[in-house]
Amino acid sequence: MITTEEVKAILAKEGDARGVVFLTDANYITLRGQGQILPQIEKQLADWDIPVKFSEIKAMNWYPVAWRMLSLVAIKEVLNWTDEDIRKMGENAPQVSVIVKLFFKLFPSVKKFAEQIPRYWRKHYTVGDMEVVSVDETNRQMLLHLKNFNFHPLLCKYYEGYFARATKLTRPVASVVTAKENDCHFKTGVPFHEYQLNWTL
Amino acid sequence: MTYDHLLQKRAEELQEDVGVLESYIQSFWKVLPIPVCSTNPIFTILETGDTFNFLFEYAKDEIVGEALKILFVSEQFFSQLTNQLVGKGEIFGFETVVRSKSGREIIVSVSAIARRDEDGEVVGYIFSLVDITETKKFEKQLTEQIQNLEKFQRLTVGREIKMIELKREISKLQKRGSKSPKVSARRPIKRKL
Protein backbone atom coordinates (compact mmCIF):
# COMPACT_ATOMS: atom_id res chain seq x y z
CA MET A 1 0.00 0.00 0.00
CA ILE A 2 1.25 3.45 -0.90
CA THR A 3 1.56 5.87 2.02
CA THR A 4 0.09 9.40 2.20
CA GLU A 5 3.63 10.81 2.19
CA GLU A 6 4.50 8.89 -0.96
CA VAL A 7 1.31 10.18 -2.64
CA LYS A 8 2.21 13.73 -1.64
CA ALA A 9 5.76 13.30 -2.94
CA ILE A 10 4.49 12.07 -6.31
CA LEU A 11 1.90 14.87 -6.53
CA ALA A 12 4.67 17.40 -5.97
CA LYS A 13 6.47 16.28 -9.13
CA GLU A 14 5.96 18.37 -12.25
CA GLY A 15 5.09 17.41 -15.77
CA ASP A 16 2.10 16.54 -17.90
CA ALA A 17 0.95 13.48 -19.80
CA ARG A 18 -1.58 13.12 -22.58
CA GLY A 19 -5.02 11.88 -21.53
CA VAL A 20 -4.59 8.90 -23.82
CA VAL A 21 -2.57 7.14 -21.11
CA PHE A 22 -5.63 7.05 -18.83
CA LEU A 23 -7.83 5.89 -21.68
CA THR A 24 -5.57 3.00 -22.67
CA ASP A 25 -5.57 1.84 -19.02
CA ALA A 26 -9.38 2.05 -18.82
CA ASN A 27 -9.63 0.22 -22.14
CA TYR A 28 -7.45 -2.64 -20.87
CA ILE A 29 -9.38 -2.97 -17.61
CA THR A 30 -12.65 -3.07 -19.58
CA LEU A 31 -11.18 -5.64 -21.97
CA ARG A 32 -10.37 -7.87 -19.02
CA GLY A 33 -14.03 -7.71 -18.03
CA GLN A 34 -13.41 -5.48 -15.02
CA GLY A 35 -14.86 -2.24 -16.36
CA GLN A 36 -17.34 -2.11 -13.49
CA ILE A 37 -14.36 -1.57 -11.13
CA LEU A 38 -13.41 1.76 -12.77
CA PRO A 39 -15.59 3.82 -10.34
CA GLN A 40 -13.70 2.22 -7.43
CA ILE A 41 -10.42 3.31 -8.97
CA GLU A 42 -11.83 6.81 -9.45
CA LYS A 43 -12.90 6.80 -5.79
CA GLN A 44 -9.41 5.81 -4.68
CA LEU A 45 -8.01 8.66 -6.77
CA ALA A 46 -10.58 11.08 -5.31
CA ASP A 47 -9.35 10.06 -1.84
CA TRP A 48 -5.95 11.33 -2.96
CA ASP A 49 -7.57 14.57 -4.26
CA ILE A 50 -7.19 13.54 -7.88
CA PRO A 51 -10.37 14.36 -9.84
CA VAL A 52 -10.05 11.76 -12.61
CA LYS A 53 -13.19 10.44 -14.33
CA PHE A 54 -12.08 8.03 -17.04
CA SER A 55 -15.15 8.72 -19.19
CA GLU A 56 -14.40 12.46 -19.23
CA ILE A 57 -10.72 12.24 -20.15
CA LYS A 58 -9.76 13.59 -23.56
CA ALA A 59 -7.01 11.63 -25.31
CA MET A 60 -5.08 14.67 -26.53
CA ASN A 61 -5.47 16.88 -23.44
CA TRP A 62 -2.67 17.25 -20.92
CA TYR A 63 -3.00 16.03 -17.31
CA PRO A 64 -0.38 15.88 -14.53
CA VAL A 65 1.95 12.87 -14.86
CA ALA A 66 1.52 12.49 -11.10
CA TRP A 67 -2.18 11.75 -11.65
CA ARG A 68 -1.30 9.17 -14.29
CA MET A 69 1.25 7.59 -11.97
CA LEU A 70 -1.16 7.41 -9.03
CA SER A 71 -3.89 6.12 -11.30
CA LEU A 72 -1.59 3.18 -12.07
CA VAL A 73 -1.00 2.66 -8.33
CA ALA A 74 -4.76 2.82 -7.69
CA ILE A 75 -5.41 0.26 -10.45
CA LYS A 76 -2.85 -2.12 -8.96
CA GLU A 77 -4.22 -1.72 -5.45
CA VAL A 78 -7.95 -1.85 -6.22
CA LEU A 79 -7.67 -4.77 -8.65
CA ASN A 80 -5.00 -6.49 -6.58
CA TRP A 81 -2.82 -6.86 -9.67
CA THR A 82 0.74 -8.06 -9.90
CA ASP A 83 3.62 -6.24 -11.63
CA GLU A 84 3.13 -8.67 -14.51
CA ASP A 85 -0.49 -7.46 -14.94
CA ILE A 86 0.82 -3.89 -15.12
CA ARG A 87 3.39 -4.96 -17.73
CA LYS A 88 0.61 -6.53 -19.79
CA MET A 89 -1.42 -3.35 -19.51
CA GLY A 90 1.57 -1.45 -20.90
CA GLU A 91 1.78 -3.98 -23.70
CA ASN A 92 -1.84 -3.33 -24.64
CA ALA A 93 -1.45 0.46 -24.71
CA PRO A 94 0.29 1.04 -28.08
CA GLN A 95 -2.28 -1.18 -29.72
CA VAL A 96 -5.17 1.08 -28.77
CA SER A 97 -3.42 4.45 -28.39
CA VAL A 98 -4.78 7.14 -30.69
CA ILE A 99 -1.38 8.88 -30.50
CA VAL A 100 0.42 5.80 -31.80
CA LYS A 101 -2.06 5.55 -34.66
CA LEU A 102 -1.96 9.21 -35.58
CA PHE A 103 1.58 10.31 -34.92
CA PHE A 104 3.91 7.33 -34.77
CA LYS A 105 5.79 6.64 -37.97
CA LEU A 106 6.15 2.92 -37.66
CA PHE A 107 8.96 2.54 -40.17
CA PRO A 108 10.08 -1.04 -40.76
CA SER A 109 13.68 0.19 -40.80
CA VAL A 110 14.87 -0.14 -37.20
CA LYS A 111 17.26 2.81 -37.53
CA LYS A 112 14.56 5.11 -38.87
CA PHE A 113 12.13 3.94 -36.19
CA ALA A 114 14.79 4.57 -33.52
CA GLU A 115 15.27 8.13 -34.79
CA GLN A 116 11.59 8.77 -34.07
CA ILE A 117 11.56 7.45 -30.50
CA PRO A 118 12.49 10.70 -28.64
CA ARG A 119 9.76 12.47 -30.63
CA TYR A 120 7.21 9.80 -29.63
CA TRP A 121 8.07 10.35 -25.99
CA ARG A 122 7.46 14.07 -26.29
CA LYS A 123 4.05 13.39 -27.86
CA HIS A 124 3.05 11.73 -24.60
CA TYR A 125 4.94 13.61 -21.91
CA THR A 126 6.18 17.14 -21.27
CA VAL A 127 8.88 15.80 -18.93
CA GLY A 128 11.53 13.10 -19.21
CA ASP A 129 13.87 12.45 -22.11
CA MET A 130 14.05 9.30 -24.14
CA GLU A 131 17.41 8.57 -25.73
CA VAL A 132 18.37 5.80 -28.09
CA VAL A 133 21.80 4.72 -26.81
CA SER A 134 22.53 2.09 -29.47
CA VAL A 135 20.95 0.20 -32.33
CA ASP A 136 22.55 -3.10 -33.27
CA GLU A 137 20.79 -4.40 -36.36
CA THR A 138 23.03 -7.49 -36.65
CA ASN A 139 22.22 -8.70 -33.17
CA ARG A 140 18.73 -7.20 -33.33
CA GLN A 141 19.09 -5.18 -30.19
CA MET A 142 18.39 -1.61 -29.13
CA LEU A 143 19.24 0.17 -25.88
CA LEU A 144 17.10 3.06 -24.62
CA HIS A 145 17.69 5.43 -21.73
CA LEU A 146 14.76 7.16 -20.09
CA LYS A 147 16.09 10.17 -18.16
CA ASN A 148 14.60 12.69 -15.73
CA PHE A 149 11.49 10.62 -15.25
CA ASN A 150 11.49 9.10 -11.79
CA PHE A 151 7.92 8.89 -10.55
CA HIS A 152 7.47 5.32 -9.29
CA PRO A 153 8.97 1.87 -10.01
CA LEU A 154 5.58 0.63 -11.17
CA LEU A 155 5.97 2.62 -14.37
CA CYS A 156 9.18 0.70 -15.14
CA LYS A 157 7.17 -2.51 -15.53
CA TYR A 158 4.52 -0.72 -17.55
CA TYR A 159 7.14 0.57 -20.00
CA GLU A 160 8.69 -2.86 -20.48
CA GLY A 161 5.37 -3.94 -21.96
CA TYR A 162 4.83 -0.65 -23.79
CA PHE A 163 8.22 -0.57 -25.52
CA ALA A 164 7.99 -4.22 -26.53
CA ARG A 165 4.61 -3.77 -28.20
CA ALA A 166 5.39 -0.42 -29.83
CA THR A 167 8.51 -1.99 -31.40
CA LYS A 168 6.52 -5.04 -32.43
CA LEU A 169 4.20 -2.81 -34.46
CA THR A 170 7.17 -2.02 -36.71
CA ARG A 171 8.33 -5.62 -37.12
CA PRO A 172 6.82 -8.48 -39.17
CA VAL A 173 3.95 -10.10 -37.29
CA ALA A 174 5.91 -13.32 -36.70
CA SER A 175 8.74 -11.44 -34.95
CA VAL A 176 9.07 -11.95 -31.21
CA VAL A 177 9.98 -8.71 -29.45
CA THR A 178 11.14 -8.54 -25.85
CA ALA A 179 11.92 -5.58 -23.61
CA LYS A 180 13.53 -5.61 -20.19
CA GLU A 181 14.78 -2.96 -17.86
CA ASN A 182 18.51 -3.59 -17.44
CA ASP A 183 19.21 -0.79 -15.01
CA CYS A 184 16.83 1.27 -12.91
CA HIS A 185 17.14 4.55 -11.08
CA PHE A 186 15.07 3.14 -8.22
CA LYS A 187 17.30 0.07 -7.86
CA THR A 188 20.83 1.33 -8.43
CA GLY A 189 20.51 5.11 -8.33
CA VAL A 190 21.70 5.59 -11.92
CA PRO A 191 20.31 8.78 -13.48
CA PHE A 192 18.24 6.85 -16.03
CA HIS A 193 16.20 3.74 -16.71
CA GLU A 194 17.88 1.47 -19.27
CA TYR A 195 15.67 -0.68 -21.48
CA GLN A 196 16.98 -3.39 -23.76
CA LEU A 197 14.87 -4.33 -26.76
CA ASN A 198 15.39 -7.48 -28.81
CA TRP A 199 13.54 -8.83 -31.79
CA THR A 200 13.76 -12.01 -33.85
CA LEU A 201 12.76 -10.76 -37.34
CA MET B 1 -1.87 41.05 -22.49
CA THR B 2 1.75 39.85 -22.28
CA TYR B 3 3.44 37.65 -24.87
CA ASP B 4 3.41 34.74 -22.41
CA HIS B 5 -0.34 35.15 -21.90
CA LEU B 6 -0.85 35.22 -25.65
CA LEU B 7 1.17 32.03 -26.03
CA GLN B 8 -0.78 30.41 -23.25
CA LYS B 9 -4.07 31.42 -24.87
CA ARG B 10 -2.89 30.13 -28.23
CA ALA B 11 -1.87 26.81 -26.64
CA GLU B 12 -5.29 26.46 -25.04
CA GLU B 13 -7.01 27.19 -28.36
CA LEU B 14 -4.84 24.61 -30.11
CA GLN B 15 -5.67 22.08 -27.42
CA GLU B 16 -9.38 22.74 -27.98
CA ASP B 17 -8.94 22.33 -31.75
CA VAL B 18 -7.07 19.08 -31.27
CA GLY B 19 -9.89 17.88 -29.00
CA VAL B 20 -12.45 18.66 -31.70
CA LEU B 21 -10.37 16.89 -34.35
CA GLU B 22 -9.85 13.90 -32.09
CA SER B 23 -13.58 13.53 -31.48
CA TYR B 24 -14.21 13.96 -35.21
CA ILE B 25 -11.73 11.21 -36.10
CA GLN B 26 -13.18 8.87 -33.48
CA SER B 27 -16.69 9.43 -34.83
CA PHE B 28 -15.41 8.91 -38.36
CA TRP B 29 -14.02 5.48 -37.52
CA LYS B 30 -17.18 4.60 -35.64
CA VAL B 31 -19.87 5.58 -38.13
CA LEU B 32 -18.17 5.11 -41.48
CA PRO B 33 -20.42 2.59 -43.29
CA ILE B 34 -17.48 1.25 -45.34
CA PRO B 35 -15.16 -1.34 -43.78
CA VAL B 36 -11.86 0.52 -43.40
CA CYS B 37 -8.59 -0.10 -41.64
CA SER B 38 -5.22 1.55 -41.41
CA THR B 39 -1.93 -0.32 -41.48
CA ASN B 40 1.74 0.44 -40.96
CA PRO B 41 4.14 0.28 -43.96
CA ILE B 42 4.48 -3.51 -43.62
CA PHE B 43 0.70 -4.02 -43.58
CA THR B 44 0.16 -4.71 -39.90
CA ILE B 45 -3.32 -3.53 -38.93
CA LEU B 46 -3.22 -0.48 -36.61
CA GLU B 47 -6.80 0.76 -36.59
CA THR B 48 -10.15 -0.57 -37.69
CA GLY B 49 -13.59 0.96 -38.08
CA ASP B 50 -16.64 -0.60 -36.43
CA THR B 51 -18.00 -1.72 -39.83
CA PHE B 52 -14.70 -3.49 -40.53
CA ASN B 53 -14.88 -5.30 -37.18
CA PHE B 54 -18.48 -6.28 -37.85
CA LEU B 55 -17.73 -7.59 -41.35
CA PHE B 56 -14.71 -9.64 -40.30
CA GLU B 57 -16.23 -10.68 -36.93
CA TYR B 58 -13.17 -9.61 -34.94
CA ALA B 59 -13.05 -7.47 -31.81
CA LYS B 60 -10.76 -4.49 -32.37
CA ASP B 61 -8.16 -5.71 -29.88
CA GLU B 62 -8.04 -9.10 -31.63
CA ILE B 63 -7.34 -7.78 -35.10
CA VAL B 64 -5.17 -4.73 -34.34
CA GLY B 65 -1.55 -5.87 -34.48
CA GLU B 66 -2.31 -8.72 -36.89
CA ALA B 67 -1.08 -8.88 -40.49
CA LEU B 68 -3.69 -7.71 -42.99
CA LYS B 69 -2.86 -10.70 -45.20
CA ILE B 70 -4.55 -13.13 -42.80
CA LEU B 71 -7.87 -11.87 -44.14
CA PHE B 72 -7.05 -12.69 -47.76
CA VAL B 73 -7.85 -16.14 -49.15
CA SER B 74 -5.11 -15.91 -51.77
CA GLU B 75 -1.71 -14.94 -50.43
CA GLN B 76 -0.46 -14.56 -53.99
CA PHE B 77 -3.20 -12.04 -54.74
CA PHE B 78 -2.31 -10.13 -51.57
CA SER B 79 1.33 -9.92 -52.69
CA GLN B 80 0.33 -8.64 -56.14
CA LEU B 81 -2.04 -6.12 -54.59
CA THR B 82 0.49 -4.77 -52.10
CA ASN B 83 3.28 -4.68 -54.71
CA GLN B 84 1.07 -2.51 -56.87
CA LEU B 85 0.11 -0.36 -53.90
CA VAL B 86 3.74 0.16 -52.89
CA GLY B 87 4.63 1.05 -56.48
CA LYS B 88 1.74 3.38 -57.30
CA GLY B 89 0.74 4.68 -53.88
CA GLU B 90 -2.91 3.83 -54.49
CA ILE B 91 -5.12 1.09 -55.88
CA PHE B 92 -8.83 1.06 -56.69
CA GLY B 93 -11.51 -1.58 -57.04
CA PHE B 94 -9.54 -4.83 -56.93
CA GLU B 95 -11.98 -7.69 -56.50
CA THR B 96 -10.98 -10.62 -54.35
CA VAL B 97 -12.17 -13.07 -51.72
CA VAL B 98 -11.44 -12.50 -48.05
CA ARG B 99 -12.29 -14.57 -45.02
CA SER B 100 -13.94 -13.58 -41.73
CA LYS B 101 -12.93 -14.96 -38.33
CA SER B 102 -15.53 -17.73 -38.60
CA GLY B 103 -14.26 -18.68 -42.06
CA ARG B 104 -17.10 -17.06 -44.03
CA GLU B 105 -15.88 -16.10 -47.49
CA ILE B 106 -16.68 -12.57 -48.59
CA ILE B 107 -16.14 -11.02 -52.01
CA VAL B 108 -14.73 -7.52 -51.59
CA SER B 109 -13.62 -4.62 -53.69
CA VAL B 110 -10.29 -3.45 -52.29
CA SER B 111 -9.03 0.10 -52.56
CA ALA B 112 -6.11 1.61 -50.67
CA ILE B 113 -4.05 4.74 -50.45
CA ALA B 114 -0.64 5.46 -48.94
CA ARG B 115 -0.28 7.87 -46.01
CA ARG B 116 2.84 9.96 -46.32
CA ASP B 117 4.72 12.15 -43.87
CA GLU B 118 5.98 15.67 -44.51
CA ASP B 119 9.02 14.24 -46.35
CA GLY B 120 6.82 12.20 -48.66
CA GLU B 121 7.81 8.95 -47.00
CA VAL B 122 5.09 6.29 -46.68
CA VAL B 123 4.12 5.92 -43.01
CA GLY B 124 1.20 3.60 -43.59
CA TYR B 125 -1.83 2.79 -45.67
CA ILE B 126 -5.58 3.13 -45.43
CA PHE B 127 -7.59 0.26 -46.89
CA SER B 128 -11.27 -0.04 -47.70
CA LEU B 129 -12.70 -3.49 -48.28
CA VAL B 130 -16.25 -3.07 -49.55
CA ASP B 131 -18.41 -6.18 -49.31
CA ILE B 132 -19.75 -6.87 -52.81
CA THR B 133 -20.87 -10.46 -52.15
CA GLU B 134 -24.58 -9.59 -52.59
CA THR B 135 -23.87 -7.47 -55.66
CA LYS B 136 -21.90 -10.33 -57.17
CA LYS B 137 -24.69 -12.79 -56.34
CA PHE B 138 -27.23 -10.45 -57.93
CA GLU B 139 -24.92 -9.94 -60.92
CA LYS B 140 -24.69 -13.72 -61.35
CA GLN B 141 -28.48 -14.10 -61.12
CA LEU B 142 -28.90 -11.33 -63.65
CA THR B 143 -26.40 -12.93 -66.05
CA GLU B 144 -28.24 -16.24 -65.74
CA GLN B 145 -31.57 -14.55 -66.39
CA ILE B 146 -30.15 -12.76 -69.43
CA GLN B 147 -28.75 -16.04 -70.75
CA ASN B 148 -32.13 -17.73 -70.27
CA LEU B 149 -33.86 -14.86 -72.03
CA GLU B 150 -31.41 -15.07 -74.90
CA LYS B 151 -32.02 -18.81 -75.17
CA PHE B 152 -35.78 -18.24 -75.14
CA GLN B 153 -35.42 -15.49 -77.70
CA ARG B 154 -33.33 -17.73 -79.93
CA LEU B 155 -36.02 -20.42 -79.70
CA THR B 156 -38.98 -18.12 -80.31
CA VAL B 157 -37.26 -16.09 -83.03
CA GLY B 158 -36.12 -19.33 -84.64
CA ARG B 159 -39.70 -20.58 -84.65
CA GLU B 160 -40.89 -17.27 -86.05
CA ILE B 161 -38.32 -17.43 -88.84
CA LYS B 162 -39.40 -21.00 -89.60
CA MET B 163 -43.05 -19.86 -89.71
CA ILE B 164 -42.16 -17.06 -92.11
CA GLU B 165 -40.24 -19.51 -94.29
CA LEU B 166 -43.18 -21.91 -94.26
CA LYS B 167 -45.58 -19.11 -95.20
CA ARG B 168 -43.27 -18.15 -98.08
CA GLU B 169 -43.13 -21.75 -99.17
CA ILE B 170 -46.92 -22.00 -99.07
CA SER B 171 -47.30 -18.77 -100.97
CA LYS B 172 -44.77 -19.98 -103.60
CA LEU B 173 -46.61 -23.22 -103.93
CA GLN B 174 -49.89 -21.36 -104.23
CA LYS B 175 -48.46 -19.15 -106.98
CA ARG B 176 -47.07 -22.15 -108.81
CA GLY B 177 -50.43 -23.83 -108.40
CA SER B 178 -52.27 -20.88 -109.94
CA LYS B 179 -50.02 -20.98 -113.11
CA SER B 180 -50.85 -24.65 -113.91
CA PRO B 181 -53.90 -25.32 -116.29
CA LYS B 182 -57.14 -24.64 -114.55
CA VAL B 183 -59.39 -27.46 -113.89
CA SER B 184 -63.00 -26.62 -114.74
CA ALA B 185 -65.36 -27.18 -111.94
CA ARG B 186 -67.96 -28.22 -114.42
CA ARG B 187 -65.82 -30.86 -116.07
CA PRO B 188 -66.53 -34.15 -114.41
CA ILE B 189 -63.55 -35.81 -112.86
CA LYS B 190 -62.67 -38.96 -114.58
CA ARG B 191 -62.39 -41.65 -112.20
CA LYS B 192 -60.89 -44.95 -112.84
CA LEU B 193 -63.21 -47.66 -112.11
Side-chain angles (χ1 to χ4, degrees), chain A residues 2-57:
Chain A
I2 195 164
T3 65
T4 315
E5 285 69 37
E6 284 173 317
V7 170
K8 275 183 187 164
I10 291 172
L11 282 171
K13 292 179 189 270
E14 289 186 347
D16 290 332
R18 294 274 196 190
V20 70
V21 295
F22 294 94
L23 296 180
T24 52
D25 290 355
N27 171 284
Y28 184 67
I29 292 165
T30 309
L31 260 179
R32 284 186 44 152
Q34 291 172 298
Q36 76 283 3
I37 310 285
L38 287 173
Q40 283 182 48
I41 297 162
E42 288 169 355
K43 187 181 173 305
Q44 174 65 79
L45 289 169
D47 290 346
W48 294 330
D49 288 330
I50 299 170
V52 164
K53 295 269 176 227
F54 288 102
S55 60
E56 291 168 14
I57 295 275

Side-chain angles (χ1 to χ4, degrees), chain A residues 116-130:
Chain A
Q116 303 290 322
I117 290 175
R119 186 174 157 262
Y120 297 161
W121 181 262
R122 197 52 74 227
K123 289 276 175 205
H124 281 97
Y125 297 100
T126 60
V127 287
D129 299 291
M130 181 62 90

Side-chain angles (χ1 to χ4, degrees), chain B residues 146-162:
Chain B
I146 289 170
Q147 279 170 351
N148 285 340
L149 275 171
E150 279 172 354
K151 205 172 158 188
F152 178 74
Q153 194 197 20
R154 270 199 302 273
L155 278 173
T156 50
V157 170
R159 208 179 129 146
E160 186 74 16
I161 291 168
K162 238 180 193 157

